[in-house]
Amino acid sequence: MKKTTVFLARRITKVTSPVSTLRYYCSTPSPSSPSRKNRLFVGGLSWSVEEKSLKDAFSSYGEVTGVNIVYDKDSGRSRGFGFVDFSKEDDARSAKDAMDGKALLGRPLRISFALEKVRGGPVVVPRLT
């Protein structure tokens, strides 16, 4: 059975053209999708942090339109990161500059602009040195 499967796979690749075997893992954002420069990734959250306390911490920098903390499916405990949405890009930038490295509930926050979610392939995150 295994030899047959290998033979079929080799046969298919010989028949198809090289162009049709290419796979595209990452897609560029469509022109209709809005820019996500008003969404911040917030890492280093304490397990006891709640949406209300995170919103209160960031609301002094502008209008917060949404807060999302990511929780573990099995334990229900916070995974230590979340997202904060602002109504304006300038508010998000000022909050990032002011809150990056500051402590919230005893833990320093790591804040950056959120990356667009890409389905179906690896996401390459640039390293800052």
Side-chain angles (χ1 to χ4, degrees):
M1 180 75 181
K2 189 174 182 180
K3 291 179 182 179
T4 307
T5 306
V6 172
F7 171 75
L8 287 175
R10 287 182 184 163
R11 183 74 179 152
I12 289 171
T13 48
K14 286 181 182 177
V15 172
T16 59
S17 68
V19 176
S20 65
T21 59
L22 294 176
R23 293 186 185 196
Y24 299 97
Y25 289 103
C26 297
S27 63
T28 58
S30 65
S32 63
S33 68
S35 173
R36 296 301 299 192
K37 294 288 187 181
N38 59 347
R39 184 173 196 157
L40 296 178
F41 167 83
V42 182
L45 293 175
S46 171
W47 287 338
S48 61
V49 75
E50 297 174 346
E51 280 89 358
K52 185 182 182 319
S53 60
L54 192 60
K55 184 174 183 176
D56 292 342
F58 282 89
S59 63
S60 61
Y61 300 102
E63 182 184 351
V64 176
T65 57
V67 175
N68 181 21
I69 296 176
V70 179
Y71 293 96
D72 185 51
K73 292 178 188 175
D74 298 329
S75 66
R77 188 171 56 180
S78 169
R79 292 188 58 197
F81 67 93
F83 300 93
V84 178
D85 294 323
F86 285 89
S87 61
K88 298 179 184 173
E89 182 180 343
D90 294 336
D91 295 341
R93 188 176 312 282
S94 65
K96 177 191 175 300
D97 294 340
M99 293 290 289
D100 193 20
K102 299 286 173 133
L104 179 68
L105 296 176
R107 298 200 40 156
L109 299 177
R110 296 181 317 271
I111 301 174
S112 62
F113 286 103
L115 299 175
E116 194 68 32
K117 191 174 191 178
V118 178
R119 297 226 178 233
V123 176
V124 177
V125 179
R127 275 188 197 224
L128 300 175
T129 56

